[in-house]
Amino acid sequence: MSDRLLRVNAYTTLDLVDGRARGHEFEAEAPGVVNVTAPREDPEHVTLEVELDNTAIDDLAAHADEIDLSPAQARTLAEALESTADRVEAAQSDDTDGL
Amino acid sequence: MPTDVENWKSEVYGNEIRDHLFEFAEQGFDSIPDDERDAWFERFKWWGLYHQRNGQEGYFMMRIGTPNGVLEPGQLRTVGEIADEYARGPGVNPIFGDAYADFTTRQSIQLHWIELSDVPAIFEKLEENGLSTQQACGDSWRNIVGNPVAGKDGQEVIDAWPVISDLNERFKGNDDHSNLPRKWKVSVTGSADGSGQGDINDLAFEPAYKAVGDESEDTVGFNVRVGGGLARNEPRLARDIDVWVPPEQVPDVAGGLSALFRDYGDREDRYNARVKFLVDEWGAEKVRETLQEEYVDFELETAGRDVREEYTYNAGEGERNDLIGVHGQKNGENFVGLNVLVGRMGADDVLELADLAEEYGSGEVRLSQRQNVIVTDVPDDALDEFLDEPLLEHYSPSPSPFMRGSVACTGTEFCSLSIVETKNRQVRFARWLKANVDLPDDVDEFHIHLSGCTASCAQPQIADVSLRGMKTRKDGDPVEALDVGLGGGLGENPQFARWVTQRVPVDEVPGAIANLIETFADEREEGESFRAFVARHDDDELDAFVDPEETDYEDPMMHNTKRTWYPYAENDSMEDAPSPPADD
């Protein structure tokens, strides 16, 4: 396999997430790395980076996906993550209460 | 637009940082304004000080740059005394105690838990004894490396020590070269063993022969390579720029290339700043042309006949993979390489070794790029008695391959970047492997390098087994893990490790290495080195050979040590972190 493309250190946003790569002809579970970054000076966008472990996926060449988000898009995404996280937590809490 | 770091550097950088540093030391750590801390911590690096990680507020790592790893008589004692007096903090290491020195992969020394208020006194003591932290870190000429026994090595082609001393004199504190786009790592090697590891440096001078002018006889000088380095998932081997230089012109060529980097390196993006990326962009030919046209005023010679085919250091086979053991010096005396497991030595042991070096040798000690120490100038008639010293039972001249082959970076104990524990873990790994795993009889070297993140301070890509910090989940819990690479090394034809297995839980790594070695022993061709064995298998085959497995090895640091203030503290959570040290 090739080396990781994303740098992984203590500043990496998430060094362990569960993910999957899915195509029309394949699906593979894989752990991965997620990072949010921007250039240190004069940044024009937020970059969201995702790399699933290459050893877990036979059907794809080693790669990372990088998405450039405007600040507004990044906030939209953050709000969606927050509100969905609230919903998931609430559901989990309901489950616990119901026990 | 320049980066934040470039802006900070344009305001205050280089020698002048010292005055500010001393002022803060006088007024106390808290006198550094909160909104200026990032800037000052960045600048302090130029004087060899790194602020330690989150949770260790107010404590610094101090790096002492010892050119070519040479500690002149008395200097090791100075290091030991400083470590003993100042390198103590609120955290105590369960293996190494509470005051120790780390010998690094670039032949320097690192001390931890240094308080800002002690820096002036430490600098005074270092300087009285000919030592310095200047440019040990930061964007400038770093500690120059090479074959540590330069000038003494019975196998050397040319004595590189006068060249290194000269470069160190000229480029330490030199305002024309004190603010470069990024770090500048230089290697100058005069031996034919490759122990200067030039291939992984920004600038490398390697021994080479050349018939110059009307001379029919070869002269010994250096071939020049530029743009090597391991960091940031972008390892490069230094590129041959087709230049041979006689020893007396090394400073001109080195200064020319440093100035070229200063002027043409990328100051917009620190991730793209190292000279290796400039060489990628330009190619070696343009580097040579620009050097010739703009930076030197004499005609450059083309490359001479090198001695790379003789390189053995970290080459995967042959003799002298490291400099451990007893070796002959040119003058008939001996140098004795001692294994310092993961490069860390308690202050008491440092002082005792300084005594032994005086008693049996000249008092001089040298440091290798494999984190080991070398006692030089031991006469034949003192050798047996020296080798019988009890201290050498621990710092052995003939250690197990797993002990002498171990290299580890600082890790989550102190480093802001690392995501796993490293030094103590590598000690545990080495001890377990020594007790439980046998290499084939004819294999006496096996290098395992453990780095806590992709910054590559333990040089993981040039080991037989490369380990690099990651995380995984085990029994539902997140645990520290390691990516595994195989088959890296230097030598005539250097090769970076191939990363074949990802996220092995740390407690299964010794079992994985044991299984790998068992397969190697069973399936190798006669006399085949591990590196050659790796080279003839594909990645999937190698991944299968790694085969992680739980054994009786237990890892007490499986949890997320980067979230502790100090991994070995009884109460290790961030809330229990100590306050910054009170000024005294």
Side-chain angles (χ1 to χ4, degrees), chain B residues 178-209:
Chain B
S178 66
N179 180 359
L180 301 177
R182 203 72 174 76
K183 61 182 82 169
W184 180 248
K185 294 178 172 177
V186 178
S187 167
V188 185
T189 313
S191 67
D193 64 354
S195 57
Q197 301 201 133
D199 282 320
I200 56 167
N201 280 264
D202 294 301
L203 170 60
F205 292 92
E206 302 188 305
Y209 296 92

Side-chain angles (χ1 to χ4, degrees), chain A residues 15-93:
Chain A
D15 51 29
L16 174 60
V17 295
D18 295 319
R20 76 197 68 80
R22 187 162 63 84
H24 288 295
E25 306 294 330
F26 71 92
E27 181 165 329
E29 303 281 331
V33 174
V34 175
N35 192 42
V36 178
T37 187
R40 286 200 202 189
E41 195 71 16
D42 276 352
E44 292 176 350
H45 55 255
V46 174
T47 302
L48 175 66
E49 305 171 323
V50 177
E51 181 177 8
L52 297 180
D53 283 11
N54 176 241
T55 47
I57 305 170
D58 293 330
D59 297 281
L60 296 172
H63 72 285
D65 294 303
E66 302 183 348
I67 299 161
D68 294 337
L69 302 165
S70 67
Q73 287 176 318
R75 284 207 181 80
T76 302
L77 182 63
E79 284 161 15
L81 288 168
E82 286 267 8
S83 64
T84 312
D86 288 347
R87 186 157 60 81
V88 171
E89 274 181 345
Q92 286 173 338
S93 150

Side-chain angles (χ1 to χ4, degrees), chain B residues 181 260-268 272-273 278:
Chain B
L260 180 154
F261 175 50
R262 177 194 64 208
D263 299 340
Y264 289 102
D266 186 352
R267 290 182 190 261
E268 309 275 315
N272 195 46
L278 186 65

Side-chain angles (χ1 to χ4, degrees), chain A residues 1 4 10 18 41 53 55, chain B residues 4 483 499 502-503 539:
Chain A
M1 65 165 252
R4 291 183 187 280
D18 295 319
E41 195 71 16
D53 283 11
T55 47
Chain B
D4 280 349
D483 282 349
W499 296 97
Q502 293 174 307
R503 299 186 201 256
D539 291 356

Side-chain angles (χ1 to χ4, degrees), chain B residues 148-199:
Chain B
V149 278
K152 312 212 163 180
D153 188 2
Q155 291 191 19
E156 89 184 351
V157 177
I158 181 171
D159 181 0
W161 178 233
V163 178
I164 292 168
S165 300
D166 189 13
L167 290 177
N168 188 59
E169 283 289 312
R170 288 188 198 220
F171 295 106
K172 279 287 162 76
N174 182 328
D175 288 339
D176 288 340
H177 300 266
S178 66
N179 180 359
L180 301 177
R182 203 72 174 76
K183 61 182 82 169
W184 180 248
K185 294 178 172 177
V186 178
S187 167
V188 185
T189 313
S191 67
D193 64 354
S195 57
Q197 301 201 133
D199 282 320

Side-chain angles (χ1 to χ4, degrees), chain B residues 8 11 35-44:
Chain B
W8 299 332
E11 290 164 12
D35 61 351
E36 294 180 20
R37 284 197 175 172
D38 288 348
W40 286 112
F41 291 170
E42 186 63 39
R43 293 178 184 126
F44 290 170

Side-chain angles (χ1 to χ4, degrees), chain B residues 221-276:
Chain B
F222 301 93
N223 280 350
V224 183
R225 291 180 180 236
V226 182
L230 299 177
R232 299 193 187 282
N233 304 28
E234 298 262 14
R236 297 284 186 283
L237 297 166
R239 270 57 62 90
D240 179 359
I241 63 163
D242 192 24
V243 170
W244 177 90
V245 60
E248 63 276 14
Q249 286 182 337
V250 167
D252 295 321
V253 169
L257 285 162
S258 165
L260 180 154
F261 175 50
R262 177 194 64 208
D263 299 340
Y264 289 102
D266 186 352
R267 290 182 190 261
E268 309 275 315
D269 178 1
R270 289 181 68 73
Y271 295 139
N272 195 46
R274 291 285 292 276
V275 76
K276 64 186 177 184

